[in-house]
Amino acid sequence: EEKIDDLCAAAGELGLRGIPAFMFQEGHDAIAEQAYREIARLSRGAYGRFAPGAAKELAELLRAAAAYAAGGIKALSDLSARRPGGAQKLLSQMSR
């Protein structure tokens, strides 16, 4: 609904400031996925998709984002060792 160029410019600014965007998508909309992945990449964040109605998957992704917010990559890595689901998805993207 927003212009992707404007969103990507804002995501780039976030990345320059060291503020990653965590983009979570419900379902399989290809256009939304492309936009979300680009925003995550430009901000040095991460993208995760979850199935429609999959509250447990979303909870894992949100738990991983909260771990990162509280303690950075180390906290995300520690969570990934204990609960690999969502944390591993985000960690693999942010470790590049």
Side-chain angles (χ1 to χ4, degrees), residues 5-64:
D5 290 341
D6 294 341
L7 294 173
C8 287
E13 288 293 320
L14 290 173
L16 291 173
R17 294 181 177 162
I19 303 169
F22 294 94
M23 306 299 296
F24 303 131
Q25 177 187 2
E26 179 180 23
H28 297 280
D29 182 295
I31 294 169
E33 179 178 348
Q34 181 180 8
Y36 280 22
R37 285 186 180 277
E38 187 65 5
I39 291 166
R41 184 187 71 77
L42 290 168
S43 70
R44 297 187 177 115
Y47 164 85
R49 181 180 341 164
F50 59 99
K56 183 178 177 184
E57 285 179 71
L58 177 58
E60 288 179 5
L61 291 167
L62 292 172
R63 183 178 297 112

Side-chain angles (χ1 to χ4, degrees), residues 22 24 46-47 57-68 73-95:
F22 294 94
F24 303 131
Y47 164 85
E57 285 179 71
L58 177 58
E60 288 179 5
L61 291 167
L62 292 172
R63 183 178 297 112
Y68 178 84
I73 289 290
K74 180 173 179 358
L76 184 56
S77 181
D78 291 347
L79 178 62
S80 177
R82 293 189 323 271
R83 300 178 76 153
Q88 185 58 46
K89 282 182 184 179
L90 300 189
L91 185 61
S92 67
Q93 294 176 57
M94 297 184 78
S95 297

